[in-house]
Amino acid sequence: MKKRDKQPEKIMLYSQRTSGENVNAALDFVKGNWRCWLKYITVFTLPFCIILGMAVDIYIDQMINDGILGELDFFGSVSAMSIYVVALAIVCAVTIALLKMHQQRENGLDDITIKELWPVLRQCLIRIIPSALFATVVIVPLYIFLNVILLFVLPGIGLIVSYCMVLPVLMIPIVYLYESKTEFGESISKGFKLGFSKIIGLGLVGFLILIVSLMAGGALSILYALVMVIKEELFNGYDFMSTLMDLFTHVMCVADTLVMMLGVSINILAVAFHYGSVATEKDDASLEVEISNFEKL
């Protein structure tokens, strides 16, 4: 009889941690629950990854063949961006749902089924909608505006300043999704309050996770570029091999997009643990959780 793997120790959300410890907590969560995490992120985002990956591959192929930067029509750009935003929203909802179930279940995510996960995931999917709309309508234009202004006022460091100013926005969907009884307007004010109270730590968390994501995605991007060179230099004009290489580059682009979504999920986890750390320090959130758990006994 096959011996079952030992259930990993539960990583509590509401606990004071340093920025490095928040990143480690996110990575430990993935390491301890990687099968479940990979399964559900893939299942819910793969259709979007296929569409986006193939669109990117076709665009790059046209750019190489034409020898110039390809043109994207307005509707194509809007459609691609819309799909991308929806995919990011779903990644956020699935990630927070998994984190909530990990905290609520006695044995974490061990042997969790979609039937057991669905009520929490459905609530997260519904509550992510206002956050996605807020980010699309308000935050993205604000970020672009800040970049344009700061490019002239503070050349060289304008991007860093605008990045730090927008960073606390990442806390809003975390607060709104994790705190089921919090209204969206309240989550905006609380997200900004918690975000700006430890903005340097939040920036460090984002920077460290960005490095991890770039390392993972960079390896696939290099392999994709190598395959494109081989296809153009060695198999250009060979119908069968060219078709086979086209299929392979499609798969590579889809895989690269999926890795990007997984990287986003890790980023969300790191920000969530940062939220848990700041909420514990500022709002005594860990004490509230203990009281809530005591009342359920």
Side-chain angles (χ1 to χ4, degrees):
M1 184 176 179
K2 185 178 179 181
K3 186 178 179 180
R4 290 188 61 180
D5 295 333
K6 183 180 179 181
Q7 176 67 22
E9 183 179 352
K10 183 178 292 188
I11 307 171
M12 301 308 297
L13 177 70
Y14 292 111
S15 176
Q16 289 192 39
R17 298 181 175 94
T18 64
S19 298
E21 289 171 342
N22 286 326
V23 174
N24 287 334
L27 297 177
D28 288 341
F29 176 88
V30 172
K31 180 181 178 182
N33 305 278
W34 71 269
R35 289 185 179 87
C36 178
W37 172 75
L38 181 61
K39 171 185 175 182
Y40 287 110
I41 295 295
T42 302
V43 166
F44 285 97
T45 63
L46 187 58
F48 302 97
C49 292
I50 292 175
I51 297 172
L52 291 172
M54 293 186 67
V56 170
D57 186 47
I58 293 172
Y59 173 68
I60 293 177
D61 191 57
Q62 290 177 345
M63 182 180 67
I64 293 175
N65 291 332
D66 295 340
I68 57 174
L69 187 64
E71 294 183 0
L72 288 178
D73 62 277
F74 174 77
F75 292 104
S77 302
V78 171
S79 299
M81 184 57 66
S82 299
I83 294 173
Y84 183 69
V85 170
V86 172
L88 292 180
I90 291 177
V91 169
C92 185
V94 174
T95 302
I96 297 301
L98 291 173
L99 182 59
K100 292 180 74 171
M101 293 303 295
H102 174 76
Q103 301 291 303
Q104 294 173 10
R105 296 175 85 237
E106 183 178 353
N107 56 341
L109 296 178
D110 188 32
D111 298 326
I112 190 171
T113 62
I114 184 63
K115 183 178 180 181
E116 188 176 2
L117 177 65
W118 178 244
V120 176
L121 178 56
R122 179 181 59 190
Q123 183 187 54
C124 288
L125 289 171
I126 293 174
R127 289 175 73 86
I128 196 62
I129 294 174
S131 297
L133 292 175
F134 180 74
T136 303
V137 176
V138 178
I139 301 306
V140 173
L142 177 62
Y143 182 67
I144 295 174
F145 175 75
L146 286 174
N147 281 334
V148 173
I149 296 299
L150 293 173
L151 181 64
F152 296 100
V153 179
L154 298 171
I157 64 172
L159 290 176
I160 299 176
V161 174
S162 61
Y163 177 71
C164 291
M165 293 180 67
V166 174
L167 261 179
V169 177
L170 296 176
M171 300 287 279
I172 296 174
I174 305 298
V175 173
Y176 189 52
L177 266 64
Y178 204 87
E179 300 181 6
S180 303
K181 296 181 180 180
T182 302
E183 297 296 331
F184 183 64
E186 184 182 354
S187 71
I188 294 177
S189 60
K190 186 173 183 178
F192 276 118
K193 184 187 75 172
L194 295 178
F196 278 111
S197 66
K198 294 286 184 177
I199 191 170
I200 296 178
L202 180 58
L204 184 58
V205 167
F207 178 72
L208 292 175
I209 289 299
L210 179 63
I211 293 177
V212 174
S213 302
L214 289 176
M215 289 176 62
L220 280 176
S221 298
I222 293 173
L223 181 57
Y224 172 80
L226 180 62
V227 171
M228 290 295 293
V229 171
I230 293 174
K231 183 181 75 170
E232 293 299 321
E233 296 296 331
L234 299 181
F235 300 110
N236 190 18
Y238 295 88
D239 292 339
F240 175 74
M241 288 303 299
S242 181
T243 301
L244 189 63
M245 295 297 285
D246 283 339
L247 178 61
F248 186 69
T249 55
H250 284 334
V251 173
M252 287 296 301
C253 262
V254 173
D256 190 45
T257 307
L258 179 59
V259 169
M260 179 183 65
M261 294 300 169
L262 294 173
V264 170
S265 178
I266 297 176
N267 199 5
I268 292 169
L269 284 170
V271 174
F273 282 111
H274 178 81
Y275 149 76
S277 176
V278 178
T280 300
E281 180 181 346
K282 300 295 182 181
D283 300 335
D284 292 328
S286 59
L287 179 61
E288 294 179 8
V289 172
E290 291 177 3
I291 294 174
S292 177
N293 291 336
F294 178 78
E295 292 175 348
K296 294 178 181 178
L297 296 178

